[in-house]
Structure formats: structure tokens, C-alpha cells
Amino acid sequence: MIRHEFSRRYFMGLSGVGVTGLLGAQLPFGSALAQNGATYEPELVVHDARVYTVDPLESRAEAFAVKGGRFIAIGKNDDVKPLAGRRTQVYDAKGMTVVPGFIDAHNHAPGQILLYEVIVGNPYQVEFVTIASIVEKLRAKARETPPGFWVEGFFFDDTKVQDRRALSIHDLDAVSRDHPVSVRHRGGHTTYYNSKAFELAGVTRNTRDSASGTYDRDANGELNGRVTDRARNVFLDVGKRPAFTPGETLIRNRDAIAFISKQFVRFGLTGVHHQGGDLFALQDVRARGDLLHRVSYEAQADMLETMITKGIATGFGDEWIKFGATAEHTTDGSFSERTMSLSVPYPGVEPPYQGNITMAQGELNAWVERVHRANIQINCHANGDVAIDMVLSAFERAQKLFPRPDPRPKITHCTLINEELLRRIKSAGAIPAPFTSYGYYNSDKFRFYGEALMQRSMAYRSFADAGIPAAAGSDFSPGPFAPMMGMQGMVTRKGWNGETWGANQRISVDEALRVLTINGAHASHEEKIKGSITAGKLADFVVLAEDPHTVDPDKIKDIEVARTVTGGNTVYQA
């Protein structure tokens, strides 16, 4: 074994590699280093790379070293390469681009749906399907399903249909008259049902809408199959669904998490804010070594209630699974399904329609205050300017009643803003998590809002100029979670159909990279341990085959993820 001597002169000679960060950081191997010089040897050295660190103190580098799952040195090739020892893994990036691991600050992580359900649209890319293909997939499911049991389809997108018409009750009646049939829009706020489902739920043409949801009708006043937001609740307890034992449920959930984790790292995601899910299955997946990404777990329902009653605050956990904010508390409808709450009517819609508010202000105030008092980071779904105003009012009230330092309330989506809302978001220290991939994937829906509203929507430029650290929120399944698609959408505001909307909200590649990395870490109070390639931080990074700074901006989404590394370990390789 070669023995290494460490003198002050030796370390001073390495100042060019960021050893100041190495010495100043509280690294887990510090005491061993003092006892045995050989343990300083990095486990990994990456060199000959275009490194974009997202660290303002050293924004560019050529190489870095990793030890104990953390970055220990960042700098030039000639400074870092000599750190490699006999046992060090050395990776020649051959001029490829390296960036911090991407972080998705809002993701429903629906592994169960992807593994076990009927998928009627492409979850990951823009793809047009036919209504006939949807009907045939559901018919196949109906043939193997006992009468009375639900037949359900997922990942439908109403503007990605070759037929160029809406899915209807008549299409789903063609699937089955013996089964209740539903197709859920990938946006999550509208579902299409057949006649059997309406019959079981007791919904007729005379059933009245409410402020929180609608039963849509055709020109003759008959139900057309589409139901929005909370109006769908009447379908929850009718019909039959498969029952699984607790053991079977755990296995299904565990396998689903392992599956979705593989998909995340394939696209370069090393950190994801999970909207709920089976925490026990998540821990099992981690224990067996199949959790490849880090999780900010956002609790809902019974788990959130347990946190409140047992005194579990945001931040409890470790670097792999940690309690973050709450799951999104829904206050209005959907952008992609055109049910979000607007202060003005939707353009061209008759009779005038301004979207759905799904919760009264008093109810929202009570929920926010209770969660805030429990030292849990609040997270509310608010798309429209009306809902954003409601969320800010509830938080401002709670903070006045029970002041807390740096609470960082999350406003998931935070789609349509104005100058006054922008000022209040900044004052509250709130964290918007707008849609990322929508700029490319959902450009076909922007026409429903028009240019004037789109200039104030998904307002990354406005947030950046105001100094508000907006984070990336793919909202998968509603939007694809591919970070490079999200970056392209933020940089160009040009969609798959060649249309550009709200070009005033474009941001640069560097700004988009911050949104996708350090801002996501900031959203979960983790910016001190991840989100940039900085000495002492977790060694989560992505190797890109091309540099998004230099490729054609309309090709950013096509950049291949060559390698994804979490904690210094390669978890995906092309």
C-alpha cells in the first residue's frame, strides 16, 4: 500500500481544484483521513468534461473527484487527475457535458399505473393515437374482466388524438354496456365515462353542476361523457374493483416504485418530490438496493395526519428519503384540461366560464394554518390567478398568526400570475413549481387561453427577474418528466407543433439549468447538500452527450443522457 503524506504545502498546491471546499466541508471520511493517509484516495475521478457546476463561485470546470458519495474536488484536468489512486475509478468524459443531477419538484410517480393499468397514450413523448385504438385496448381489458368491474384507461390526452374530436360517451359505450368504463385524462382533473358508469352513479342529464366540477353535455343537453374535478367523486364508490391483500398491495407498490425509479434515472432525474405513495414500499425498495433516485416524500391523507399528530416535521429523514412539503392541496382545476380558475372568462367559451375552485377560502385557511403550525411545509395546487391569490391569502394569514422563519410554502403549478401576485410570492418567500415540459408538449392547448394570458403563464422569466427561485414541476403524469424536454420548453417556448406562445417568458439555458437543479433542492430545503457540483455536496450528476448551450435550441430535448450518477454510483448508462 502506498502511504500518502499530507502536509499544508501539499494541500496548498491543490488550491486550483477547490480543495478549500474539501477541507472546509464536514465530510464523513475526515477522521479516517487524519488516521490513515491512504483513505484520502477518491473513489471516482471524472475528467475531460464540460462541467457546468451551477455553483456561482466556480461555474465551470473540467474535472472533479468523488469520495464517500460526495464531491471532494472540482477544477481543471491537470489538478484533479493526479488525485486518482490505485483503486480510483477514472472516467474519461471525452468532452461530454456534465451537470448536476436533475430534480423534479412535483411528480406523482405513478408506477402502479404504468405497470398494471391500460395505457391509452404515450406517457413520455408526443404521440397521436386514434379513438379506435383506445376502444380496442379497453375492449381487450373488458374481455378478461368480470361484468360489473371497472374497465379503466389512463394517459389520455384530448389534443393528441388523430380523429381531432373529443372522446365521447358513445365511444366508451362501444367498449362495454356491462362494465363501467372510464378514461382518465393525463391531466388528472377530467375523466370520460360510459353510460353504465353514469347509471351506477345516479347521474342523469338533469343532475346539476357545482362550482367544483361539471357534468358536460352535448348540444342537445345530453351527457357527453366528460366530467370535471370534484364532480367525479360520485363515481368513487360505485362498481367493483379488484381487491388485494396487504401483502399483495405491498408487492405491487414495491415493484412499481422500482420500475419508476429506473425510468427517472434514464432521463437524468436524481431527485424527485413524490406526491404521496406507499412509504413502506419505498423503504423496502431502498433496502433491497433498487431505489436509484432520492425522494422528497410529500405526505397526504393518513400519512399527513400522522405527521401532524406525532410531531413529525418537514426535514425528518436522510439523504435518500426525507419528509418534504405536503402533497399538493388542490384549490382549483387544470391548465391542460381548461378547468383552472381565471379572474376573466376563458376566451371564446359560451356561456362564459371561469374554471373551477375546488375549495372555499375558509376551508383552505384552516388547512394551511393547521399544517403550518405543525412545522410542515405547505404545498398547494393553484393554477389560475384566483387560486394563487387564495393560497397566498391563506399562507399570509397563517404566518401572521404563527410566524416561522423561512417556511418556503410551495405553490405547485402557479401558472397564471400578475404583478401583484408576483410581489406577494416574493414577499412570502413562496416557491412556485410551474410546468416544465408543457412548453413543448402542451403547446396545442395554449390557443385555448390566447397570447395575452400566455404572456403571464408558466412565467419563468418573470420569476427569475423578480429573484424568485422557481423550481421544475413536471406534474407527471399530466406532463412528461423528461428534463431536457422541459429545458427546451423553457428556453424556446416553442411547441411540438411549431407554435410559439408567451415568448416574453423565455429564459436562458443557464437559468433553465438552475430551475432543474439547485432551485429544486431549494424547494425542499436541501440546497446545502445537493443541486450543484460543489465540494461537500452529494455526488449526483448527469453526463449529457451534447451541450445544451451549443446545440440548436429546438434540439435540446433530443440530447441523450449518457450516464446518470447518484451518490457517486452509476445508476443508468446508455
Side-chain angles (χ1 to χ4, degrees):
M1 178 181 291
I2 299 175
R3 182 174 179 82
H4 298 273
E5 298 294 330
F6 294 94
S7 65
R8 177 176 175 80
R9 180 179 178 183
Y10 175 80
F11 279 121
M12 291 300 289
L14 293 177
S15 60
V17 299
V19 175
T20 301
L22 167 64
L23 296 176
Q26 295 181 352
L27 300 182
F29 57 88
S31 59
L33 176 64
Q35 295 170 10
N36 181 358
T39 61
Y40 110 92
E41 185 178 286
E43 292 149 3
L44 171 67
V45 165
V46 176
H47 65 88
D48 285 291
R50 292 186 180 186
V51 183
Y52 294 90
T53 68
V54 194
D55 184 336
L57 297 179
E58 191 174 14
S59 62
R60 293 292 304 274
E62 298 172 340
F64 54 83
V66 174
K67 174 74 174 179
R70 294 179 182 254
F71 300 111
I72 62 168
I74 300 101
K76 295 185 178 300
N77 289 322
D78 291 344
D79 294 321
V80 177
K81 288 173 68 175
L83 297 178
R86 183 179 300 174
R87 294 179 295 272
T88 301
Q89 176 188 354
V90 178
Y91 175 56
D92 182 353
K94 299 185 184 301
M96 288 191 289
T97 295
V98 178
V99 298
F102 297 121
I103 298 172
D104 189 339
H106 180 67
N107 193 302
H108 294 270
Q112 294 91 334
I113 291 174
L114 292 169
L115 266 189
Y116 305 120
E117 304 294 349
V118 178
I119 306 302
V120 299
N122 190 322
Y124 308 112
Q125 303 291 341
V126 174
E127 181 184 351
F128 278 67
V129 301
T130 65
I131 289 176
S133 73
I134 295 171
V135 170
E136 183 50 44
K137 286 182 178 181
L138 295 173
R139 278 178 175 165
K141 179 68 174 179
R143 286 193 289 268
E144 61 185 37
T145 302
F149 279 76
W150 280 92
V151 174
E152 299 172 295
F154 297 87
F155 282 95
F156 173 71
D157 190 324
D158 68 308
T159 59
K160 307 293 188 303
V161 180
Q162 291 182 26
D163 305 68
R164 298 187 181 277
R165 68 169 178 83
L167 188 66
S168 76
I169 189 172
H170 307 296
D171 298 318
L172 300 187
D173 283 346
V175 172
S176 175
R177 291 277 188 172
D178 298 320
H179 302 83
V181 179
S182 70
V183 172
R184 181 169 174 168
H185 195 289
R186 70 177 299 164
H189 288 251
T190 58
T191 305
Y192 301 79
Y193 298 94
N194 72 341
S195 296
K196 184 66 173 181
F198 282 109
E199 175 191 328
L200 292 172
V203 176
T204 71
R205 63 173 290 165
N206 297 319
T207 302
R208 300 179 64 179
D209 296 337
S210 70
S212 60
T214 62
Y215 303 102
D216 290 3
R217 294 162 173 81
D218 62 21
N220 298 319
E222 300 292 341
L223 296 168
N224 66 15
R226 183 176 185 262
V227 182
T228 71
D229 289 305
R230 287 192 174 184
R232 298 175 298 167
N233 289 352
V234 298
F235 298 93
L236 296 178
D237 296 322
V238 302
K240 300 176 183 178
R241 290 182 170 86
F244 302 101
T245 68
E248 290 170 334
T249 298
L250 179 61
I251 291 171
R252 285 168 61 89
N253 290 346
R254 187 175 61 199
D255 291 347
I257 291 168
F259 173 81
I260 197 68
S261 190
K262 290 179 180 178
Q263 308 314 308
F264 287 155
V265 297
R266 180 165 67 96
F267 286 90
L269 287 169
T270 60
V272 176
H273 296 196
H274 280 227
Q275 294 293 289
D278 189 334
L279 184 59
F280 301 103
L282 192 60
Q283 293 176 85
D284 274 0
V285 172
R286 180 197 176 176
R288 73 183 193 186
D290 289 336
L291 185 63
L292 308 178
H293 68 285
R294 303 184 194 277
V295 176
S296 178
Y297 183 82
E298 301 193 329
Q300 59 188 346
D302 292 345
M303 186 60 71
L304 178 59
E305 188 63 27
T306 298
M307 289 181 68
I308 294 172
T309 57
K310 300 298 183 182
I312 301 173
T314 291
F316 182 78
D318 62 15
E319 295 157 355
W320 281 97
I321 305 173
K322 183 176 294 186
F323 283 101
T326 67
E328 61 175 328
H329 196 68
T330 303
T331 59
D332 76 338
S334 160
F335 173 87
S336 65
E337 297 150 280
R338 286 82 74 193
T339 67
M340 76 182 199
S341 59
L342 305 182
S343 57
V344 296
Y346 277 77
V349 175
E350 292 294 339
Y353 173 65
Q354 293 180 238
N356 300 335
I357 288 292
T358 58
M359 175 169 291
Q361 185 71 60
E363 185 183 0
L364 179 61
N365 288 349
W367 183 86
V368 169
E369 179 183 345
R370 184 165 183 255
V371 172
H372 182 70
R373 283 181 178 272
N375 288 310
I376 298 171
Q377 184 182 7
I378 70 163
N379 176 17
C380 290
H381 160 121
N383 266 302
D385 51 358
V386 174
I388 297 169
D389 171 81
M390 291 175 62
V391 170
L392 287 169
S393 295
F395 174 73
E396 290 159 353
R397 174 184 176 275
Q399 180 71 343
K400 183 176 181 180
L401 291 172
F402 187 72
R404 279 176 42 202
D406 196 21
R408 302 185 195 179
K410 285 179 67 176
I411 306 179
T412 288
H413 311 320
C414 202
T415 301
L416 180 64
I417 57 95
N418 55 47
E419 288 301 319
E420 177 60 13
L421 292 177
L422 201 64
R423 182 195 64 77
R424 291 170 66 192
I425 291 168
K426 173 73 170 178
S427 177
I431 309 297
F435 301 110
T436 52
S437 59
Y438 272 30
Y440 176 81
Y441 179 83
N442 265 333
S443 60
D444 47 19
K445 299 179 177 68
F446 295 173
R447 62 185 173 84
F448 294 108
Y449 295 91
E451 177 64 15
L453 291 181
M454 288 311 304
Q455 288 184 8
R456 298 192 282 118
S457 295
M458 303 165 204
Y460 280 106
R461 176 80 273 146
S462 296
F463 292 134
D465 290 347
I468 296 169
S474 74
D475 197 29
F476 187 75
S477 58
F481 56 71
M484 302 315 294
M485 182 188 293
M487 179 180 288
Q488 179 171 317
M490 288 185 279
V491 169
T492 68
R493 294 285 288 208
K494 183 191 294 185
W496 63 267
N497 56 4
E499 296 179 0
T500 299
W501 296 83
N504 61 303
Q505 293 297 343
R506 290 170 175 158
I507 58 176
S508 69
V509 169
D510 277 335
E511 289 169 322
L513 187 56
R514 289 187 63 82
V515 168
L516 289 160
T517 57
I518 192 67
N519 288 8
H522 178 84
S524 57
H525 294 265
E526 295 179 286
E527 71 274 14
K528 292 183 179 179
I529 63 168
K530 63 184 182 182
S532 67
I533 297 176
T534 301
K537 286 192 177 185
L538 297 167
D540 302 344
F541 63 91
V542 178
V543 181
L544 301 175
E546 297 178 270
D547 188 343
H549 296 79
T550 59
V551 301
D552 179 345
D554 291 335
K555 302 294 184 182
I556 291 175
K557 67 177 178 58
D558 300 321
I559 295 175
E560 180 185 48
V561 173
R563 184 177 295 226
T564 302
V565 178
T566 309
N569 295 314
T570 298
V571 291
Y572 170 77
Q573 187 171 353

